[in-house]
Amino acid sequence: MNPIARQFLRDANAKAGDRQHRATVQRNIGLYDAAVARGKARFADWSNGRARLAQIKWDVVNHLDQYLEQFERQVLANGGQVHWAETDEQARQVIVGIARKHGVRKVVKAKSMTTEEIHLVPALEAAGIRTLETDLGEYICQLRGELPYHIVTPVMHLSRQDVSRTFTEKLGTPPTDSAEELTGIARRQLRQEFLTAGMGITGANFAIAETGQIALTENEGNIRLCFSLPRIHVAIVGIEKLVPRVEDLALFWPMLATSGTGQAVTGTNSLVGGPRCDGEPDGPEEFHVILLDNGRTRLLADVEQRDALHCIRCGACLNACPVYRTIGGHAYRTTYMGPIGAVITPHLRGLNDWAHLPYASSLCGACSAVCPVNIPVHRHLLHNRRSATSQKAGGLQAVFTVWRWFMQAAPRYRLGGWLARWFSRRGWAAPPWTDTRELPIPPAQSFRDWWKNQ
Ligand code: SF4
């Protein structure tokens, strides 16, 4: 077992036994479940909506080259700039380069899993550029020096008391139990930062091919401040985020909101299409879009699994997963955790180190049942298990060669039975398989011997 897999097992075991952690997460997911049930009831036909979203994403993913070029043309026509990044390293270099060119000393950043994926904050900080998370959950993570626990709700594992303790320790504010007061503390800390930052960095929930706009959805208003106040706006966009038309948002936005948080639609939704035009009171002077591959085209090349690119990062499959609910988000040590993380991480970061992830599933299918874009997530987990097993096919093949030799002739079969009984009487085990399972003990007497004695 590789060290990453061993670490995963250690972390998962520790969290599974942490009753306080489990109580907090169960409570928060319980609230989410109730909100989602109410949210879905507002739709005339939720399953038809899922089918429609899947159909749109299928079209996008299977004509990705055309939609990407159309999107690029429109961004350029709107006065924006487009950068193509094949790797995370290239994306970091582009962003640091833009910041340096404009003498940016401070960046305000919206919540974006794509920026987590490319490890952007450490790269900016290493370049001497102070970078502030402005989403409340991400801000708390940054103060605590933690990675997000969940792709939608980064501090799902924390209670109000935990947040209050963090603020007291890091900001020196008095303890409070009030969510409003805690939010007010973060708001006061961050407001001045928005006004003095030279660059705002966002992700994009969707990128619209026909108009060259990016669509951003949020509840706090911090994303709107990130792209409208600083002089430069940089949006980092995974190439799978495209949708063909603005009108597609009429279904994507409410279904994402309902699956993500149970809301009918999130509090603030923005379309950003370029830099500030003449006569406009606000908006950036420069608008840069970075189109990130970073392993996505590997997934695209896999015809059996490319529909994993349909994912709109709603987080519903994490909340539904009994394994995620038990071991939590940090145990995975990946940007994308839970079932969809176990599907895409081996593609994005290599199967060698991450082959253990698809086994972190009971294959109950709850992830597939809740996915708003109809991704058969649990089938992809099985698919990844198959890929992981065929990588180790050498060892398995040897086992089956020996097994076949014993099974091919009666005397060898008898010898095999005798050896199995002999080893099992001496407490023989087959780790790691028997670490968590009882090895069946063969009876002391074989059937043949018993028959002879009758
Ligand atoms: S796989 Fe489906 S349920 Fe999971 S995050 Fe993506 S869109 Fe949401």
Side-chain angles (χ1 to χ4, degrees):
M1 195 184 296
N2 73 50
I4 300 177
R6 256 201 303 275
Q7 184 65 47
F8 171 74
L9 281 182
R10 270 199 298 275
D11 293 347
N13 268 330
K15 273 298 169 213
D18 180 343
R19 296 174 73 181
Q20 178 59 45
H21 164 263
R22 199 182 301 197
T24 306
V25 171
Q26 296 293 11
R27 182 180 170 278
N28 288 336
I29 293 184
L31 293 170
Y32 161 86
D33 286 342
V36 169
R38 285 193 300 275
K40 285 185 179 170
R42 283 191 285 261
F43 283 78
D45 190 340
W46 177 259
S47 67
N48 217 358
R50 295 173 78 202
R52 179 70 187 133
L53 294 194
Q55 193 182 32
I56 296 169
K57 288 304 274 187
W58 187 94
D59 172 43
V60 167
V61 166
N62 285 279
H63 303 95
L64 197 54
D65 51 343
Q66 295 162 29
Y67 284 120
L68 280 167
E69 285 177 7
Q70 186 186 7
F71 177 74
E72 181 188 33
R73 277 196 303 277
Q74 293 304 326
V75 173
L76 296 177
N78 296 341
Q81 300 177 46
V82 176
H83 311 262
W84 297 82
E86 212 172 304
T87 62
D88 53 350
E89 175 63 31
Q90 284 177 8
R92 289 192 296 267
Q93 279 174 5
V94 170
I95 298 171
V96 171
I98 298 169
R100 284 206 171 121
K101 183 174 157 210
H102 292 278
V104 171
R105 308 297 309 155
K106 190 187 338 179
V107 164
V108 280
K109 190 183 143 300
K111 179 178 168 333
S112 147
M113 294 313 290
T114 319
T115 58
E116 297 289 339
E117 178 188 327
I118 64 167
H119 309 292
L120 181 59
V121 176
L124 287 168
E125 296 274 344
I129 301 160
R130 194 167 156 243
T131 308
L132 281 129
E133 297 287 356
T134 62
D135 171 84
L136 179 58
E138 295 269 0
Y139 178 61
I140 296 165
C141 285
Q142 191 173 37
L143 288 177
R144 293 170 64 91
E146 278 179 2
L147 293 174
Y149 180 91
H150 188 282
I151 61 178
V152 173
T153 42
V155 289
M156 179 194 268
H157 60 307
L158 299 181
S159 63
R160 267 178 294 172
Q161 293 73 22
D162 295 325
V163 176
S164 171
R165 270 193 294 277
T166 302
F167 282 0
T168 304
E169 197 183 304
K170 304 287 180 184
L171 306 173
T173 53
T176 171
D177 219 10
S178 151
E180 288 75 17
E181 279 181 36
L182 290 168
T183 311
I185 292 168
R187 183 181 293 134
R188 282 190 293 280
Q189 296 285 333
L190 287 172
R191 188 52 62 110
Q192 195 55 30
E193 309 287 7
F194 285 114
L195 296 170
T196 51
M199 180 191 276
I201 298 180
T202 68
N205 295 102
F206 305 101
I208 301 149
E210 75 170 355
T211 61
Q213 292 168 306
I214 58 166
L216 294 154
T217 187
E218 56 168 328
N219 279 310
E220 298 171 20
N222 64 304
I223 298 185
R224 192 167 268 195
L225 292 176
C226 276
F227 69 71
S228 57
L229 290 179
R231 276 190 315 120
I232 320 285
H233 175 200
V234 175
I236 173 132
V237 183
I239 54 173
E240 81 287 9
K241 290 291 179 77
L242 283 159
V243 293
R245 300 157 295 265
V246 176
E247 68 188 45
D248 296 323
L249 295 178
L251 198 52
F252 274 102
W253 260 342
M255 289 191 71
L256 172 60
T258 300
S259 293
T261 56
Q263 292 169 282
V265 71
T266 38
T268 308
N269 293 288
S270 308
L271 289 170
V272 183
R276 178 195 306 195
C277 297
D278 288 342
E280 282 185 346
D282 55 19
E285 290 164 20
E286 285 189 17
F287 173 56
H288 297 261
V289 178
I290 294 161
L291 291 169
L292 178 74
D293 179 347
N294 205 27
R296 286 160 175 80
T297 44
R298 275 201 295 278
L299 196 47
L300 184 68
D302 185 335
V303 284
E304 285 185 87
Q305 291 208 279
R306 67 168 56 145
D307 65 354
L309 291 171
H310 296 185
C311 176
I312 55 171
R313 309 277 190 263
C314 71
C317 59
L318 280 62
N319 300 336
C321 175
V323 175
Y324 179 89
R325 291 165 86 121
T326 305
I327 68 171
H330 287 152
Y332 294 85
R333 295 187 180 232
T334 54
T335 306
Y336 305 104
M337 56 293 279
I340 190 61
V343 171
I344 62 176
T345 304
H347 287 270
L348 301 184
R349 296 175 70 177
L351 187 60
N352 273 347
D353 286 339
W354 304 97
H356 57 284
L357 289 179
Y359 295 91
S361 166
S362 62
L363 297 180
C364 63
C367 46
S368 309
V370 296
C371 178
V373 283
N374 261 348
I375 301 173
V377 185
H378 71 295
R379 285 186 195 282
H380 289 312
L381 291 170
L382 262 178
H383 184 112
N384 276 0
R385 287 186 189 188
R386 189 182 74 193
S387 306
T389 309
S390 44
Q391 254 198 358
K392 293 187 275 181
L396 270 183
Q397 213 146 15
V399 169
F400 278 106
T401 305
V402 173
W403 179 80
R404 191 177 56 196
W405 187 84
F406 278 114
M407 298 299 283
Q408 273 175 336
R412 290 184 223 159
Y413 179 82
R414 271 202 298 279
L415 173 67
W418 183 85
L419 285 171
R421 284 191 298 283
W422 190 85
F423 277 115
S424 65
R425 277 200 295 276
R426 276 151 189 80
W428 178 79
W433 199 78
T434 47
D435 288 350
T436 52
R437 298 174 182 85
E438 300 274 319
L439 192 69
I441 307 290
Q445 188 183 35
S446 73
F447 175 76
R448 281 166 184 273
D449 292 340
W450 174 84
W451 185 257
K452 250 190 257 165
N453 295 336
Q454 297 304 303

